[in-house]
Amino acid sequence: MFSTARAFGGPRALSGAPWRRAYAALGASGPGAKQRPTLVLLGTGWGATTVLKNLATDRFNVVVVSPRNYFLFTPLLPSCTVGTTESRSIMEPIRHIMGRHGGGVRYYEAECTDIDLERKELVLERSVEAQGPHATRLAYDQLVVGVGATYNTFGTPGVQEHALFLKEMGDATKIRRRLMDTIEQASFGGVSEAELERLLHMVVVGGGPTGVEFAGELHDLVAEDLAKWEPELSKKCRITLVEALPRILPSFDERLVYYTQRVFKKNGIALRTGTRVTEIKETSIVLQDAGGAVSELPYGLVVWSAGIRAREFAHTLGAKIPDAQTNPRGLVIDEYLRVKGARDIWALGDCTVSKDAPLAQVASQQGKWLAHALNEMARRQKQQQQQQQQQQQQQ
């Protein structure tokens, strides 16, 4: 059933009358609620969460919308795949963060699937088990898009079917389970030497921070833990990192790249740079090097971290303003994080196209700056309103 929702009150029936932006109708409460603009934050990643932490929520009616009800400390996600870090220790419930603002923020666990730029309304959807999908509308005055990114397969055959990804906590859990199953299968009796070699070959596709960190975690698991559990198996384990570009960590300083390559060589992690994946089969991966030579490597585990793309809402928003949004990778923003071609909409983090690298540190810095900018805008607007009221009273 399609309905319209108040920002702070729940659904109400659609009517022919224009959607009111009176904040009392939205369910906001407290002194000055009617005068405060509704600021919607899409996402609970580094960018949006940093905005929320630094926002003066007494100047806005703040609504957070995200299908993920927690903040994830993604730099430690590779550690969760091998048990070095417990998953709960890198997750912070978004309601805990909201609670620091004294109850002045609302949260909806939903996916934003569409936007009406003229009416300044968002379409939110969520699936309820045994009840099917539900949709609702949410009005906004100001919108911050921080929906992040998802993995990019680049249309490579077999990736979706056979590879594992490393972007969310659920991905780390799947990798951990597959890794343990592979090791247990290799330790089971009656396994041929060729099958043993395949099972104990772990391939990481992508030489960015996630792929490099995960390869390092795999090595530590083999060298420190598996060597104690199954010494003979640990000696047969192989780790290969495949990168299509000429070097790993392309957005980092060359000294760090050189150090990483030296450590990988010392630890026996094979680097295949300048090599792209053309296909992933059920038990093998097909590679093509810069010279065009094709090779096929058997594997027991393959993790794909070769790139990211903006989530679907970013493309939906971009399609509404095609003249200004000309980059298919994500939302084009200006130096003030404003979405080009849109009014009262800002975007940050991995869902945007900018000169900065898609890193957690960048999104966090953007979020802090944007929060201070929004706070200052709200302060000046309130100051102008007070001056206008004083002038009217004097007249």
Side-chain angles (χ1 to χ4, degrees), residues 123-141:
V123 176
L124 311 183
E125 292 185 6
R126 72 185 307 265
S127 294
V128 181
E129 192 173 339
Q131 296 182 25
H134 285 253
T136 189
R137 286 183 178 268
L138 173 67
Y140 69 89
D141 290 294

Side-chain angles (χ1 to χ4, degrees), residues 157-177:
V159 175
Q160 198 73 45
E161 294 81 5
H162 305 301
L164 296 178
F165 305 96
L166 189 50
K167 199 76 178 70
E168 300 289 344
M169 182 54 69
D171 298 329
T173 303
K174 289 179 182 178
I175 293 174
R176 189 171 181 175
R177 188 180 300 119

Side-chain angles (χ1 to χ4, degrees), residues 60-75:
F60 305 91
N61 294 319
V62 183
V63 185
V64 180
V65 177
S66 175
R68 191 180 72 187
N69 62 5
Y70 58 89
F71 167 73
L72 182 65
F73 192 84
T74 49

